Amino acid sequence: MPNLTISRLRNIIFSIFLTLIISFTVPGTASASSLGIESGSLSPCPASPNCVVSQKADAKHTIAPITYHVTRDKAREALLKVLTVVPRTQIIKQTDNYVHAISKSRIFKFVDDVEFYFPSDKSIIHIRSASRVGDSDFGVNRTRLEQIRLALRDLNI
């Protein structure tokens, strides 16, 4: 009888684990086509709550852009420095007004796209961070961008 109980417990644990995996990976929310700058804006967030953006966002997806008081080149340089110390983050693309990085989650290696846009007419950095898969991110994208904002503030940009 104890083996039956242990076996049933294993099945329940496996079912819970499988449910968690599926909830994080279905449906997909982002694709490479939703990245970059189009008509002076980063892409809007999908309906899922695992994205934040500082441009053209509804209340649940909005986040303030990062302001700076140095030159755009110095702000971009400082951002690139900060990104080198963000855990599991890799810079994918950089131009004079745009930076795209990816951040991977520690355990399951889920990928989040993190974008920064430096408009030429303002001393701000528009920001966007979105999970590629799943629905919920438990606020990780928002937290990551707020930590980057604080790191840049500490560098007096």
Side-chain angles (χ1 to χ4, degrees):
M1 198 78 165
N3 287 340
L4 180 61
T5 305
I6 291 172
S7 175
R8 180 150 169 83
L9 182 61
R10 284 183 185 154
N11 286 340
I12 291 170
I13 291 171
F14 178 75
S15 295
I16 291 170
F17 180 74
L18 188 59
T19 301
L20 286 172
I21 294 296
I22 290 170
S23 71
F24 279 111
T25 61
V26 176
T29 59
S31 66
S33 65
S34 67
L35 299 175
I37 305 162
E38 190 169 319
S39 302
S41 292
L42 295 170
S43 296
C45 287
S48 59
N50 58 2
C51 175
V52 293
V53 66
S54 64
Q55 292 177 293
K56 300 179 183 178
D58 59 24
K60 77 176 181 179
H61 294 104
T62 193
I63 189 168
I66 298 170
T67 59
Y68 61 90
H69 61 272
V70 295
T71 66
R72 184 169 77 164
D73 288 341
K74 286 192 185 282
R76 189 174 153 283
E77 182 181 310
L79 172 66
L80 292 171
K81 250 184 224 181
V82 167
L83 290 175
T84 65
V85 297
V86 175
R88 299 170 308 283
T89 298
Q90 175 186 4
I91 297 168
I92 301 299
K93 179 181 180 181
Q94 55 180 309
T95 67
D96 63 332
N97 70 343
Y98 175 76
V99 174
H100 171 223
I102 59 168
S103 288
K104 293 183 181 179
S105 65
R106 184 182 322 209
I107 297 172
F108 294 113
K109 305 298 184 208
F110 294 132
V111 176
D112 295 340
D113 289 291
V114 188
E115 298 177 280
F116 304 89
Y117 167 47
F118 297 77
S120 59
D121 59 340
K122 296 178 183 169
S123 294
I124 61 172
I125 307 167
H126 281 295
I127 53 181
R128 180 179 191 271
S129 187
S131 301
R132 287 189 182 175
V133 296
D135 187 63
S136 177
D137 69 344
F138 301 106
V140 169
N141 284 298
R142 182 176 301 278
T143 300
R144 177 187 305 112
L145 289 178
E146 292 299 349
Q147 289 172 338
I148 291 169
R149 179 192 316 277
L150 289 173
L152 290 170
R153 188 175 295 153
D154 287 347
L155 293 172
N156 290 317
I157 72 140

